[in-house]
Amino acid sequence: PISLYTTLSQFQLLFVHNMAECVTDLAQAAACRNSAAATHLKVISICTIFVTSVMGVSAPVMLARYFQGKSLYDIAILLIKCFAAGVILATSLVHVLPDAFAALSDCQVASQHPWKDFPFAGLVTLIGVLMALLVDTVASSHMEHGHYTPVETLEKEGGSGAWSIELAGGGGEVQRVEELMRLKQRLVSQVLEIGIIFHSVIIGVTMGMSQNVCTIRPLVVALSFHQIFEGLGLGGCIAQAGFSFGTTAYMCFMFSVTTPMGIILGMVLFSMTGYDDTNPKALIMEGLLGSVSSGILIYMALVDLIAVDFFHNKLMNSNVYLKKVSFIALTLGSASMSVLALWA
């Protein structure tokens, strides 16, 4: 009975402490609430983030076109992609996933069923990983069957029949493998952009719904740098995929406008519903979408970017020095994006 009483007392103290923290957080948010100033900052952020997004995503593409046809082209593309992989990995693990956990563990959400009963952020992240794996597997299988068609031919040698399998289609086997790799890289770029767009929409809508000037003001600068580095990551993958000019321009444009459009959408939602970024429903949506995005980005960074280059790239495996430089590029990309977590 004494131990039970002690346990109940500790539980009550913990509950009161958590409620006090929740009230304190809400009080701080109310003190910084200024709708007119917040709207002014959001208009500035829309223009600033669009410009920095264009700069970030177009820089690797333009750099790749500059090196195209030169002897260092393959090395430049590889280093750009390794830096991009570091940016994407840090984005998922240092920015998106912690934000998703924070949204679903907020005192207004974590005090309700079923959110307090299970770590949904981790579960939905796992679902995101499995979804990315499923899309990757199905698409890869479809591409392979589309380019490699078994053709049975009968060869008769010395009166006895022997079956052999040939690969249909023009060109040599090397050309077909290169074509498959190019199609695979295009698929990676497109799925990666979907994951990044999820993340960008969440960032934009959250800022658009917020009326907290104390939160928005540092985010304007921090998210501008955030979009530059994330754009470098996506642009590096787009550059290697070898898309046509129209497709490349479209993908760069979509990345550039997603966060500004998300901010506008968040402002519209706030004006229609009155929900801000502290509303439990908004936090739940932010946590779930962020978790899915995090799972997609983690899979793409580790499986389709880092593993492919560091274990299956002939250029890197034949040059130990290049492998070291590539690892440095990967580390720099991770570090540059991780440092931004101090502000956003």
Side-chain angles (χ1 to χ4, degrees):
I2 295 176
S3 60
L4 178 60
Y5 176 78
T6 303
T7 302
L8 289 174
S9 299
Q10 292 175 345
F11 177 78
Q12 290 174 346
L13 289 173
L14 180 61
F15 178 78
V16 171
H17 175 70
N18 290 337
M19 289 301 295
E21 284 187 348
C22 187
V23 172
T24 301
D25 292 340
L26 292 176
Q28 291 176 349
C32 293
R33 188 181 179 90
N34 187 328
S35 296
T39 301
H40 179 70
L41 287 172
K42 291 172 195 175
V43 173
I44 295 175
S45 68
I46 289 172
C47 301
T48 305
I49 290 175
F50 174 76
V51 172
T52 53
S53 298
V54 171
M55 292 169 54
V57 74
S58 60
V61 176
M62 295 177 65
L63 188 63
R65 290 186 178 275
Y66 172 77
F67 279 103
Q68 193 166 18
K70 299 184 179 181
S71 58
L72 296 177
Y73 176 75
D74 292 334
I75 295 177
I77 286 291
L78 179 61
L79 294 179
I80 291 172
K81 188 181 175 185
C82 288
F83 182 88
V87 170
I88 299 303
L89 185 61
T91 298
S92 58
L93 293 176
V94 183
H95 290 264
V96 187
L97 187 58
D99 287 347
F101 271 99
L104 294 182
S105 62
D106 186 270
C107 55
Q108 298 184 81
V109 177
S111 59
Q112 304 175 14
H113 292 289
W115 309 105
K116 69 177 183 179
D117 303 321
F118 193 83
F120 281 95
L123 175 64
V124 179
T125 300
L126 174 61
I127 293 173
V129 172
L130 296 178
M131 286 173 52
L133 173 61
L134 178 63
V135 171
D136 200 0
T137 302
V138 172
S140 298
S141 176
H142 177 73
M143 286 189 300
E144 289 173 2
H145 283 86
H147 286 74
Y148 288 87
T149 305
V151 179
E152 294 178 343
T153 59
L154 179 62
E155 295 180 352
K156 294 183 178 180
E157 297 180 359
S160 62
W163 292 94
S164 66
I165 303 296
E166 293 182 354
L167 294 174
E173 185 176 351
V174 175
Q175 286 75 15
R176 287 193 292 269
V177 171
E178 290 178 351
E179 179 64 19
L180 275 177
M181 292 299 295
R182 185 158 47 249
L183 291 174
K184 173 71 173 179
Q185 184 59 41
R186 291 177 180 178
L187 173 66
V188 168
S189 302
Q190 291 166 341
V191 176
L192 184 61
E193 179 156 24
I194 291 173
I196 290 177
I197 283 177
F198 266 122
H199 174 46
S200 298
V201 168
I202 295 166
I203 292 175
V205 171
T206 302
M207 177 183 280
M209 296 177 69
S210 177
Q211 306 302 309
N212 190 325
V213 180
C214 302
T215 301
I216 297 175
R217 189 177 289 114
L219 277 179
V220 175
V221 177
L223 287 182
S224 297
F225 284 100
H226 180 281
Q227 292 300 103
I228 287 177
F229 288 121
E230 201 169 61
L232 289 173
L234 178 61
C237 296
I238 293 174
Q240 191 186 36
F243 289 109
S244 64
F245 176 79
T247 303
T248 300
Y250 174 76
M251 294 181 70
C252 292
F253 175 77
M254 287 301 298
F255 169 78
S256 302
V257 301
T258 301
T259 302
M261 291 299 293
I263 296 174
I264 295 172
L265 177 60
M267 295 171 68
V268 172
L269 288 175
F270 174 76
S271 65
M272 294 177 61
T273 64
Y275 291 167
D276 61 8
D277 59 332
T278 62
N279 184 275
K281 293 181 180 179
L283 290 170
I284 291 172
M285 187 61 64
E286 177 186 350
L288 294 179
L289 290 177
S291 299
V292 172
S293 175
S294 176
I296 294 173
L297 295 179
I298 288 172
Y299 175 87
M300 301 304 293
L302 292 176
V303 177
D304 285 331
L305 297 178
I306 296 175
V308 168
D309 282 333
F310 279 85
F311 297 104
H312 304 289
N313 189 297
K314 294 181 179 180
L315 179 63
M316 186 185 294
N317 291 331
S318 62
N319 190 330
V320 178
Y321 177 76
L322 181 59
K323 179 173 286 191
K324 294 178 181 178
V325 175
S326 299
F327 183 80
I328 293 173
L330 176 68
T331 305
L332 288 175
S334 302
S336 61
M337 199 65 182
S338 298
V339 169
L340 290 180
L342 294 171
W343 301 279

